Amino acid sequence: MARIFSGIQPSGDLHVGNYFGAVRQWVAGQAVSDAVYCIVDLHALTLDIDPAALRARTVDTAIGLVASGLDPDVCTLFVQSHVPAHTELAWLLECTASYGELRRMTQFKDKGKDQESVRASLLTYPVLMAADILLYDTDRVPVGDDQRQHIELARDLAIRFNSRYGDTFVVPEAAIPPRAARVMDLQRPENKMSKSTGTPLGTIAIADSADEIAKKVRRAVTDTESDVRYDPAAKPGVANLLELLSAATGEEPDTIAARYHAYGPLKADVVEALVELLTPVRARILELSDDPATVSAALEKGAAKAGRLASPALDRARAAIGLTARAG
Ligand code: TYM
């Protein structure tokens, strides 16, 4: 069975971009692959995050993932910092990566640009991400479009390590969905929807009520024209609504666009589709939030399993690079 691995930062509320771009593929993947999913709390430390908020969001993210359909008895679901192999392998890979290739990462340039002092970890972030992936002999990494460059780096590091030290890592492939791989902010359709930097009215959380979803979609920025066509460059707001409806219904955005002659009815149908999809997810989130101990117990079991899965690749890498064997 193919191994799939992916991760998500506990840096804010899960939103429909995360859902369509990644989590929906994770749910489908757990039935047909050996699936490992990680809440990457260490990655969230690269930006300023309040310790109490990080703690709460780590559990909330797990609840959101389980409510979306991940079954911790079927997949392996765990918190990154509970498996120390991630940081250990990250160091070995940092000694394989170059400063130049990390500095060129677009997310480093974007996230670092408005900060007075940039954390060193923002630069090395994609190396930790490569370690996450390579530890599990991963074949496929289901992610949204914004992670494409990071997966490319993980591949480059695996190939370089293998050629320098001998065959050690499986070289992974990105798996990016054909639709809604980059859901945009409803208020600023030139920016992606984001947990950490999105606008409140432009971000639809998977836990939003029907009223909140309706309000946000109705106020979504479109343009001064009125014709409905799928043209992401000229009409990013309308294209985003069409992408969302396409992701929810499986129909092509062009085919959907041909049925509408005004923005109002399009928005009404986007609301209906999202409410139908998210109502059961929200109900499950509310249920699980009353009993966080169940999810925490599942995460504990997940970490023990992930630790066992990770150790062969870490041992191979340690031996290949020349570290002496440790006792135990
Ligand atoms: P993160 O936490 O930003 O996002 C989690 C997943 O959601 C996808 N995503 C989106 N997809 C479509 N439209 C959007 N607006 C949108 N926003 C987010 C992301 O592409 C991602 O798949 N670096 C990663 C976390 C990570 C990881 C890994 C992923 C750490 N280690 C190893 C895969 C494998 C991140 O910050 O994702």
Side-chain angles (χ1 to χ4, degrees), residues 6-7 9 17-18 21-22 125 129 132 143-144 146-147 181 183 193 195:
S6 202
Q9 292 195 59
N18 300 130
Y125 173 114
M129 177 161 163
D132 298 340
V143 283
D146 60 341
Q147 299 302 318
V183 174
M193 192 177 280
K195 293 192 245 44

Side-chain angles (χ1 to χ4, degrees), residues 5-9 15 17-18 21-22 26 40 43 111 125 129 132-133 141-147 150-151 180-184 192-195:
F5 177 94
S6 202
I8 185 161
Q9 292 195 59
H15 54 66
N18 300 130
W26 300 8
V40 293
H43 277 99
K111 289 191 176 171
Y125 173 114
M129 177 161 163
D132 298 340
I133 297 167
V141 190
V143 283
D145 184 66
D146 60 341
Q147 299 302 318
H150 289 159
I151 311 284
R182 183 177 283 265
V183 174
M184 308 310 271
K192 70 173 184 189
M193 192 177 280
S194 160
K195 293 192 245 44

Side-chain angles (χ1 to χ4, degrees), residues 15 31 48 57 78 100 103 138 144 165 202 273:
H15 54 66
D48 197 18
R57 283 175 184 165
F78 70 104
R103 210 184 35 192
T138 302
Y165 302 111

